Amino acid sequence: MKLIPSPSRTELRGKSILLGVTGGVAAYKSANLLRELQSRGAKVQVVMTEAAQHFIGTATFQALSGEPVYTDAWDQRVSNAMAHIELSRQADIVLIVPASADFMAKLANGLADDLLSTLCIASNKPLAIAPSMNREMWAHPATQRNLKTLISDGAAIIGPDTGDQACGETGLGRMLEPYDICEAVTAMLTPKLMAGKRVVVTAGPTYEAIDPVRGITNRSSGKMGFELARALANAGAKVELIAGPTFQLTPHDVKRTDVTSALQMHAAVMRNCEPRPDVFVSVAAVADWRVVNASDRKLKKTAKRKVPELEFAENPDILSEVAALPDAPYCVGFAAESQDLLDNATAKRARKNVPLLVANIGPATFGLDDNQLLLIDENGHRSTAVRSKRSLATELVKEIARRLPMPGPGLHDDGFAFQKSDS
Ligand code: C5P
């Protein structure tokens, strides 16, 4: 089963999505997609083709969306009797889920013989389609030709996936799961504050071996780092995520490298600093020490009950090293402190020589969905509200983006009220 992060009701707040449902067995999954889009704050308006109604009824979508479902180009409920124009003008994006082979063919050839196809042609909004069909239908030269046409016409294609199909066959053509489609749509609708930037992010714990089956690690879940990697990618950055051992799912459009120990994380980060990224965000809880006399065999209890004696060496401080590089990227550090948060975190920012340090308010955020952060920069500090890590990640991306040299107006002038630090 897929682990789904706790929903954030803010990511798609104010966005209006026109969900077009066409005739495929995956149409029932569009109801879940609608719920997922709503859980992120979007308003969803559903339009169905005639064929779609053979798979799922209008009442389901009407009940879930709280809006009338449109199926007919001549619908009299639209005041000017021009549903195809009205509906697309109200939307931020037109999303066709599932998109059947027939509907793709119609779109690619500009046919407009029902409400949804007419609406797509009349639309002045981005179009995204999630194909869903039997693998032979997907592989057919006609479908592939239509796909190319749709891409060159500017449509975003979400999926398809490979796997078991309702017809009993296995292959490429099944629809992506609603959560993944929602992730792709969220990325499309996120302002590209980090466009053109390359960002290296570390996340999760490290694991220092004692012997082949035992080791020293910490309680970091990787949630905050993965949410940040996701938010940075959604904002248009090219993201390289270097992750310690964690069960987090790799976010959409993020390149992930898995490591185990601090030394491996150090090597992976340094490799990714050639050429220099624009930004380095160090969220990982890196072990300060490693065991230098780790055994290559499992340590056994001895008859004399002698406990093993471990010897430690200090691990490299990855963040300090990156911050000290010539032409260093813009560095963001994290801190978890158990006491004197502001003083310790301010001192850490200076010691590691990073422009922005983010401290967890409250030491026990490991593994939780919510967090509260204290942001410290050269001007002072400010704390966030207690929010989901997902929405804190979006807030942090804005904070990072406004501190970077960026072309274009508007990113640097929204002056957050920082309090001056005494130290
Ligand atoms: O020194 P401390 O572990 O409290 O500092 C935390 C910050 O430094 C985090 O950003 C963490 O990712 C980074 N760090 C590091 N390498 C280490 C230890 C911490 O990059 N060896």
Side-chain angles (χ1 to χ4, degrees):
M1 204 188 75
K2 217 159 202 185
L3 293 173
I4 294 180
S6 71
S8 145
R9 294 201 159 268
T10 59
E11 269 195 311
L12 295 178
R13 194 168 52 202
K15 299 290 181 200
S16 197
I17 295 174
L18 192 140
L19 176 60
V21 184
T22 76
V25 66
Y28 77 96
K29 292 189 179 179
S30 296
N32 282 341
L33 173 65
L34 189 158
R35 298 291 279 167
E36 185 68 37
L37 291 165
Q38 279 178 331
S39 78
R40 298 181 189 201
K43 177 175 171 293
V44 185
Q45 169 67 65
V46 178
V47 173
M48 298 176 77
T49 63
E50 217 244 293
Q53 295 167 65
H54 289 279
F55 293 95
I56 182 168
T58 54
T60 303
F61 287 113
Q62 180 158 350
L64 294 176
S65 68
E67 300 287 334
V69 172
Y70 293 94
T71 57
D72 179 7
W74 309 109
D75 200 309
Q76 293 303 312
R77 288 171 298 182
V78 177
S79 55
N80 63 3
M82 284 194 264
H84 59 294
I85 308 285
E86 277 302 289
L87 293 170
S88 82
R89 295 299 178 271
Q90 290 158 11
D92 293 293
I93 188 169
V94 175
L95 181 60
I96 309 295
V97 183
S100 64
D102 174 64
F103 199 76
M104 284 178 66
K106 263 189 189 177
L107 274 183
N109 289 286
L111 293 188
D113 62 355
D114 64 3
L115 175 60
L116 190 57
S117 54
T118 315
L119 181 155
C120 287
I121 286 203
S123 165
N124 54 0
K125 300 294 164 46
L127 172 71
I129 71 171
S132 169
M133 65 199 73
N134 165 270
R135 64 190 173 111
E136 298 294 355
M137 293 170 80
W138 176 252
H140 194 282
T143 306
Q144 290 303 308
R145 203 164 50 237
N146 293 332
L147 175 68
K148 281 201 191 96
T149 305
L150 288 170
I151 293 170
S152 75
D153 286 351
I157 312 296
I158 305 173
D161 203 358
T162 184
D164 292 343
Q165 303 205 299
C167 52
E169 298 180 4
T170 302
L172 190 59
R174 63 177 268 135
M175 195 174 87
L176 273 186
E177 291 303 323
Y179 178 78
D180 297 315
I181 295 173
C182 199
E183 284 289 273
V185 173
T186 303
M188 287 178 70
L189 292 174
T190 303
K192 301 294 172 239
L193 298 181
M194 296 292 291
K197 303 291 177 192
R198 190 166 82 85
V199 185
V200 175
V201 181
T202 65
T206 60
Y207 176 92
E208 307 298 325
I210 294 174
D211 69 15
V213 295
R214 302 185 184 93
I216 299 172
T217 186
N218 58 65
R219 290 173 56 207
S220 168
S221 64
K223 262 184 199 162
M224 190 69 233
F226 274 62
E227 287 295 354
L228 256 170
R230 173 185 177 276
L232 286 159
N234 284 353
K238 184 168 181 289
V239 180
E240 328 258 354
L241 172 63
I242 296 156
T246 159
F247 293 107
Q248 302 299 325
L249 296 172
T250 311
H252 180 73
D253 260 355
V254 165
K255 186 169 165 246
R256 171 176 180 170
T257 304
D258 285 310
V259 295
T260 304
S261 66
L263 284 184
Q264 288 171 357
M265 185 171 278
H266 174 260
V269 169
M270 290 308 166
R271 251 193 332 270
N272 276 284
C273 281
E274 297 301 338
R276 295 280 184 278
D278 299 285
V279 181
F280 175 53
V281 190
S282 184
V283 199
V286 187
D288 289 318
W289 306 284
R290 67 182 176 279
V291 181
V292 281
N293 60 342
S295 168
D296 53 7
R297 292 180 180 198
K298 185 180 171 195
L299 296 172
K300 296 279 188 201
K301 275 189 269 187
T302 59
K304 290 183 192 153
R305 300 257 158 197
K306 195 169 168 293
V307 295
E309 284 183 9
L310 300 179
E311 283 171 37
F312 290 93
E314 194 165 316
N315 277 325
D317 189 310
I318 305 170
L319 177 58
S320 302
E321 238 180 81
V322 173
L325 288 171
D327 297 326
Y330 183 87
C331 286
V332 183
F334 270 69
E337 300 289 337
S338 54
Q339 67 259 336
D340 302 327
L341 181 69
L342 180 58
D343 287 350
N344 282 329
T346 304
K348 188 165 292 179
R349 177 182 168 271
R351 194 168 61 247
K352 303 210 179 207
N353 194 23
V354 294
L356 181 62
L357 192 108
V358 182
N360 296 304
I361 298 178
T365 70
F366 293 121
L368 299 182
D369 286 333
D370 289 349
N371 202 359
Q372 186 179 16
L373 301 173
L374 178 68
L375 277 60
I376 305 171
D377 76 358
E378 80 277 16
N379 295 317
H381 63 273
R382 80 163 177 95
S383 53
T384 68
V386 178
R387 311 242 304 261
S388 71
K389 288 181 178 173
R390 174 156 291 184
S391 97
L392 287 169
T394 308
E395 187 174 342
L396 267 179
V397 169
K398 285 186 194 148
E399 292 286 355
I400 294 169
R402 63 190 277 272
R403 289 170 166 80
L404 299 180
M406 287 264 192
L411 296 179
H412 298 265
D413 53 7
D414 53 349
F416 285 96
F418 264 76
Q419 281 171 256
K420 276 256 175 259
S421 291
D422 297 333
S423 35

